[in-house]
Amino acid sequence: MSHLRILLFITFSFFCLSISGCKNRHTYNSNDQEQYIHITHNWRDIAQEEYHFDAPRDVEVKKWEGLCEARNAFDSVAKSDLDCFADANQMMTVQDFIQLWYNEESYLEDDDLTTWRLMQYDKELSSYCDSEFDRFSMVKNAIQSLLLYCPMSQMDINYHSALEQNFQEYYDRLLLKEAIRHSEKRLSDALEREQDHWLQYQTALDSSFRSIQGDPNGMGGSAWPMAICGILEDNAIMREISIMDFYFALTDNLDYEFLHKTSRIGEYEVERHAEVKDKDVLDEYKRFMVLIEQSFFDPECHYSKTVMRNALKKEMTAWKGWMSSRKQVSDNLEESCKSVYDNATNNVRRYKLIMLKNRYQGYGLIESSVEECLLDYSCPDEDIEDFSFEKRWRSLYSQKESPS
């Protein structure tokens, strides 16, 4: 996560927490039963053998319990607020993560703490599993369950968007960490270098999105954090695609030749598409830059052409660095995993090509007309080559402006 993004959320969080603290914190009184419900943390003991990742020491667990209780000191909640959640356990867990992650001293990348808190929320994470696919499926299911609630205000929606993004990034880090753990030295070193290049690209994307879609006058609106989280979550989903199939092939010894013919083994499905070349993605970056020069973006509420173009150029350079580092990882793989990894890289290029063709539109609160112009990531391969967001946009508005 870039320092700029951390500062954005810290600033935003202090404002939000001052409001939510006044709204939700309430000393419980038996006379308030009609309006308020008593609520508290209920910790459970988790045996060492129940941890599917690194098991923490008892002293760490006690520290984490105290940290959650200190930062999220609710002892009651309004009944109307609880209606947004499935139960008090979900509400307390969501509030814990908000207080842990979006604060001056952030624990956002303390993945051991995050895993422990998720296990407190969902007992299923302590269940036995006989494959890496099952283990990571349980983690994903717990995250999806936790985030299945109804945020009411724009502040709540922004927090929900941030949680979606940051949990996806957490999941990606788990996948990579385990891939490195299961790899011999030469491959693990290549994977670590590839992660460094990924982070450089991720930071560059964050910067280019802010330059292309942001308002230099600081008038992005209350949903602007939601938009930033949206594209970064999309990017993090692409990161999962870049690791997932390779990791399960590496650890679960999946018969990829069989998967290549059937696409499935049980619940596991491999994503495969027509070839997307490096040149296809780089050419789309260049078309995007030409569009910037043609003043497709309104100069009154966007940064200058120079700022936007330079930001996109830096992102393209970082993208090329990441793709080059993936080639180095591929060169260190045996054929059984190499074909899986190279297929994942092709899926990544396809994903990025669609993101570029959509011109980084569709994030935050958007008009239905923008949504109509977007190319979906699940579209047929043959729909990609001739797709043009700007053509759809101009066609849609020419129809709206034509006399009836």
Side-chain angles (χ1 to χ4, degrees):
M1 189 178 201
S2 69
H3 294 300
L4 182 59
R5 194 154 83 256
I6 290 173
L7 287 173
L8 183 150
F9 279 114
I10 288 175
T11 304
F12 181 68
S13 298
F14 280 141
F15 170 72
C16 294
L17 292 174
S18 65
I19 297 175
S20 63
C22 296
K23 177 183 176 183
N24 293 319
R25 295 194 179 185
H26 176 82
T27 303
Y28 182 73
N29 187 303
S30 59
N31 296 326
D32 292 333
Q33 291 182 11
E34 294 300 319
Q35 295 179 320
Y36 290 89
I37 299 172
H38 184 58
I39 189 170
T40 187
H41 289 98
N42 292 302
W43 306 120
R44 67 184 184 92
D45 292 329
I46 303 174
Q48 294 281 302
E49 61 272 15
E50 293 181 54
Y51 286 93
H52 297 308
F53 300 94
D54 295 333
R57 294 172 295 143
D58 290 344
V59 65
E60 290 178 304
V61 171
K62 289 299 180 185
K63 173 189 172 183
W64 293 339
E65 289 176 354
L67 188 62
C68 292
E69 290 165 0
R71 291 200 173 187
N72 181 17
F74 294 173
D75 65 359
S76 67
V77 63
K79 288 183 178 180
S80 58
D81 289 341
L82 192 57
D83 288 344
C84 303
F85 298 88
D87 52 35
N89 179 32
Q90 184 188 29
M91 180 180 187
M92 289 295 281
T93 306
V94 167
Q95 291 296 329
D96 277 356
F97 279 116
I98 288 174
Q99 302 289 342
L100 289 170
W101 287 357
Y102 312 123
N103 218 312
E104 186 173 16
E105 185 182 356
S106 174
Y107 292 84
L108 181 61
E109 295 190 6
D110 187 337
D111 294 336
D112 292 338
L113 168 54
T114 297
T115 300
W116 168 81
R117 189 61 188 88
L118 271 179
M119 292 182 71
Q120 287 290 335
Y121 165 71
D122 189 346
K123 294 180 180 179
E124 290 299 313
L125 278 176
S126 298
S127 303
Y128 171 78
C129 55
D130 56 8
S131 70
E132 290 302 290
F133 175 74
D134 289 341
R135 177 165 71 134
F136 275 90
S137 293
M138 287 195 299
V139 174
K140 179 159 282 192
N141 290 339
I143 293 171
Q144 290 173 342
S145 170
L146 178 62
L147 298 182
L148 192 61
Y149 68 93
C150 301
M152 301 300 290
S153 66
Q154 185 60 55
M155 176 188 75
D156 295 332
I157 293 170
N158 287 345
Y159 270 133
H160 188 266
S161 298
L163 289 169
E164 288 180 316
Q165 172 211 333
N166 293 140
F167 268 117
Q168 180 63 55
E169 292 174 341
Y170 154 77
Y171 184 83
D172 297 345
R173 289 194 299 272
L174 285 187
L175 276 172
L176 181 68
K177 179 181 178 181
E178 293 303 297
I180 291 172
R181 189 203 298 266
H182 285 85
S183 300
E184 50 86 25
K185 182 69 164 58
R186 187 172 62 176
L187 176 56
S188 66
D189 287 347
L191 287 169
E192 287 176 350
R193 289 192 296 271
E194 186 260 0
Q195 171 68 357
D196 290 340
H197 282 282
W198 156 259
L199 292 173
Q200 292 170 29
Y201 156 70
Q202 183 190 41
T203 300
L205 172 72
D206 186 2
S207 178
S208 64
F209 178 76
R210 292 170 186 267
S211 299
I212 293 167
Q213 296 295 344
D215 188 330
N217 301 311
M219 303 297 288
S222 60
W224 177 231
M226 179 185 172
I228 297 171
C229 291
I231 193 167
L232 292 173
E233 183 193 0
D234 252 8
N235 212 44
I237 290 170
M238 184 173 68
R239 181 55 170 157
E240 177 185 347
I241 292 170
S242 77
I243 307 170
M244 179 178 61
D245 288 352
F246 158 69
Y247 177 64
F248 296 141
L250 179 70
T251 55
D252 288 344
N253 298 314
L254 296 178
D255 184 350
Y256 189 72
E257 288 304 315
F258 177 73
L259 276 168
H260 188 74
K261 297 173 183 176
T262 65
S263 296
R264 300 186 70 89
I265 292 181
E267 295 183 22
Y268 190 78
E269 183 170 1
V270 166
E271 179 184 352
R272 271 192 315 279
H273 296 284
E275 183 183 10
V276 177
K277 299 177 181 178
D278 284 328
K279 184 177 183 299
D280 297 330
V281 178
L282 298 179
D283 284 349
E284 199 59 44
Y285 265 114
K286 293 169 186 175
R287 281 190 282 270
F288 200 167
M289 292 176 201
V290 169
L291 193 67
I292 289 172
E293 289 297 328
Q294 293 174 345
S295 300
F296 182 75
F297 297 91
D298 185 353
E300 291 188 7
C301 55
H302 285 84
Y303 286 93
S304 70
K305 293 178 184 180
T306 301
V307 169
M308 290 192 283
R309 186 182 62 251
N310 288 345
L312 200 57
K313 277 185 177 180
K314 289 180 181 178
E315 185 201 316
M316 183 175 70
T317 299
W319 167 267
K320 289 163 67 176
W322 182 39
M323 289 296 101
S324 177
S325 70
R326 287 189 65 81
K327 175 66 167 58
Q328 293 171 19
V329 172
S330 178
D331 290 343
N332 282 282
L333 294 173
E334 296 180 359
E335 187 56 38
S336 58
C337 285
K338 179 180 174 62
S339 58
V340 185
Y341 191 85
D342 291 345
N343 179 70
T345 300
N346 188 67
N347 293 339
V348 163
R349 287 195 292 260
R350 179 186 189 273
Y351 198 99
K352 183 61 186 182
L353 182 60
I354 292 174
M355 186 186 289
L356 286 165
K357 279 181 169 288
N358 282 330
R359 307 307 185 211
Y360 296 173
Q361 300 282 338
Y363 301 104
L365 295 178
I366 61 171
E367 299 176 5
S368 59
S369 55
V370 173
E371 191 169 2
E372 289 178 42
C373 296
L374 297 173
L375 182 63
D376 194 271
Y377 288 114
S378 62
C379 71
D381 293 342
E382 56 268 22
D383 290 356
I384 299 175
E385 183 176 358
D386 295 329
F387 172 82
S388 170
F389 176 88
E390 49 271 21
K391 286 181 180 178
R392 282 194 182 184
W393 181 261
R394 287 166 179 150
S395 174
L396 182 65
Y397 267 80
S398 64
Q399 291 173 17
K400 289 183 177 182
E401 292 173 359
S402 63
S404 56

